[in-house]
Amino acid sequence: MSYCKQEGKDRIIFVTKEDHEAPSNAELIEDDPNDPYEDHGLILPNGDINWNCPCLGGMASGPCGQQFKEAFSCFHYSKEEVKGSDCVENFRSMQECMQKYPELYPQEDDNDSAPSGGANTSPSESTSTDSLPSSSPDSAPAATENPAAS
């Protein structure tokens, strides 16, 4: 015989082996085909943006959610020849907001995607070899001799 026990906010249900062997009598509720947020992806059937889509990774909420929504909406509804070219200010506003919260919106490591020596390279990341010792086939190695090797 099964029974329930309440512990704080939790309700614990103990069942017997016989309870598990019996077929379930739970009634499943059929999905509402008119639910605008159910399994439609990013764009709803009416063309609107589904801000609840998990594909947005939560970007529509949080401290910069409004800026994200404005920039994304602008891009989605853009009619310009170069789609989104009329949305630069919206994306700039979103980027400025995100830079205020680096712990929530970490910047991707540019070293993986930027070509070396590019415009984004800082002086400490210089790829110049001017400061390295040069050697030619005729010159002796620049390394110090190991006395133990003699």
Side-chain angles (χ1 to χ4, degrees):
M1 177 177 210
S2 61
Y3 68 95
C4 295
K5 178 179 169 184
Q6 191 76 28
E7 284 189 9
K9 65 175 182 56
D10 300 319
R11 183 175 168 198
I12 302 169
I13 303 173
F14 294 91
V15 295
T16 64
K17 184 177 180 181
E18 292 79 26
D19 290 331
H20 278 290
E21 290 174 346
S24 172
N25 60 0
E27 293 182 28
L28 299 177
I29 300 171
E30 190 172 326
D31 289 337
D32 180 4
N34 298 320
D35 184 354
Y37 300 105
E38 188 67 34
D39 296 328
H40 290 294
L42 179 59
I43 308 302
L44 298 173
N46 66 0
D48 289 345
I49 299 168
N50 179 5
W51 297 116
N52 295 323
C53 181
C55 62
L56 293 176
M59 293 292 294
S61 60
C64 299
Q66 189 58 40
Q67 290 86 343
F68 173 80
K69 286 180 178 182
E70 289 172 4
F72 196 88
S73 294
C74 181
F75 181 83
H76 175 67
Y77 295 111
S78 177
K79 302 283 188 214
E80 293 297 313
E81 180 72 23
V82 177
K83 188 170 180 94
S85 61
D86 52 336
C87 306
V88 173
E89 285 304 315
N90 297 87
F91 280 98
R92 184 172 288 129
S93 173
M94 180 184 75
Q95 183 180 25
E96 288 170 359
C97 179
M98 289 177 169
Q99 288 172 343
K100 294 177 186 174
Y101 302 95
E103 67 284 353
L104 295 176
Y105 307 104
Q107 292 187 7
E108 291 183 18
D109 188 8
D110 292 334
N111 294 339
D112 294 339
S113 60
S116 62
N120 292 337
T121 305
S122 66
S124 64
E125 299 173 2
S126 175
T127 57
S128 172
T129 57
D130 295 344
S131 61
L132 297 176
S134 62
S135 63
S136 66
D138 299 331
S139 68
T144 329
E145 290 185 30
N146 185 352
S150 307

